[in-house]
Amino acid sequence: MSKNTVTQEQISKLIADADIKISTVAEKCTVVTVTLKNGFILTESSACVDKANYSEEIGARCCMERIERKLWELEGYALQKDLANSERCQSDAAEPEKTAKQRVEEEKAELVEKAKKLAQFLQSKASDKLNDGERYLLQLQLAKMCEYADILAARLGVWRELQ
C-alpha cells in the first residue's frame, strides 16, 4: 500500500485515543463531542421528531459515522499538505544557492532588459501621448537605469570572490 494514503487503522486509532462524550438534549437529540489527542474537537448531533422514537444509541452511531467521515477528510487534507510541503522542500533543495556574483549578474540582466523596453517605449508612437513632464521623468528614469547598469557592470568587471 502507498504511504501517500490515509488508512482505516489511522482513523480507528484517532477515535480510540479520543475522549468521547455523548449526551442527550431535550429528550430527543444526541450530541457527540470527540476531543482528539491533539486537542482538536469534533461535534455532531442527531435528533428525531418524536421523543418516543428517540434512541441515544442510534443517535450516537449516526454522529460517530459523520465524525469518522470528517476525520477522513481532515487526515486527507493534512496528508496532502505534508506532501506538498515535502515536494516544495525537495525542489528548493534541488536548486543550488546562487552566489553573490550570480545574483548581481541576474540583477544587471533584468535591469538592462527593463531599460531596453523603456527606451523602445520612448521611441514608439505610444509615447506621443505623454506630456512634457511625464516624458522628462521617464527619460531621467532611463538614464538612471543605464547608470546603475554601468555600475553593476563595473562591479562585475573587478569581481573577486570573498573567502
Side-chain angles (χ1 to χ4, degrees):
M1 183 173 291
S2 170
K3 69 176 183 157
N4 298 337
T5 187
V6 176
T7 65
Q8 180 63 54
E9 291 78 26
Q10 285 174 268
I11 301 301
S12 296
K13 179 146 178 48
L14 287 169
I15 292 171
D17 292 345
D19 179 28
I20 301 172
K21 297 217 183 327
I22 301 169
S23 59
T24 298
V25 177
E27 299 180 55
K28 63 179 190 174
C29 177
T30 304
V31 177
V32 176
T33 304
V34 175
T35 304
L36 300 177
K37 202 172 183 178
N38 67 5
F40 191 80
I41 299 172
L42 296 151
T43 302
E44 279 292 336
S45 65
S46 174
C48 63
V49 175
D50 184 349
K51 62 183 170 185
N53 297 326
Y54 177 70
S55 165
E56 186 178 77
E57 180 184 334
I58 293 172
R61 189 172 53 235
C62 291
C63 292
M64 287 304 296
E65 286 172 4
R66 290 186 203 133
I67 287 171
E68 186 173 335
R69 279 196 302 271
K70 282 183 182 180
L71 281 172
W72 278 98
E73 288 181 41
L74 292 167
E75 289 296 299
Y77 171 81
L79 176 60
Q80 185 72 58
K81 184 177 178 186
D82 289 346
L83 290 171
N85 287 339
S86 174
E87 288 171 7
R88 192 170 20 257
C89 288
Q90 288 173 2
S91 69
D92 289 348
E95 293 180 29
E97 183 74 24
K98 293 179 183 169
T99 66
K101 184 176 183 180
Q102 288 171 323
R103 291 192 303 272
V104 171
E105 287 170 337
E106 283 183 11
E107 182 178 355
K108 180 182 170 279
E110 290 171 9
L111 183 60
V112 166
E113 186 59 33
K114 289 177 182 179
K116 282 181 187 177
K117 288 179 181 177
L118 180 54
Q120 288 170 348
F121 171 74
L122 287 170
Q123 293 171 356
S124 72
K125 293 277 185 199
S127 72
D128 292 345
K129 297 177 185 173
L130 298 173
N131 65 37
D132 291 341
E134 291 169 325
R135 177 176 301 285
Y136 170 76
L137 289 173
L138 285 175
Q139 288 170 337
L140 184 61
Q141 178 181 334
L142 178 58
K144 297 299 180 188
M145 290 169 79
C146 291
E147 284 179 43
Y148 185 40
D150 289 344
I151 291 168
L152 293 176
R155 284 184 61 205
L156 289 168
V158 297
W159 195 274
R160 65 178 177 83
E161 292 298 325
L162 300 175
Q163 300 301 329

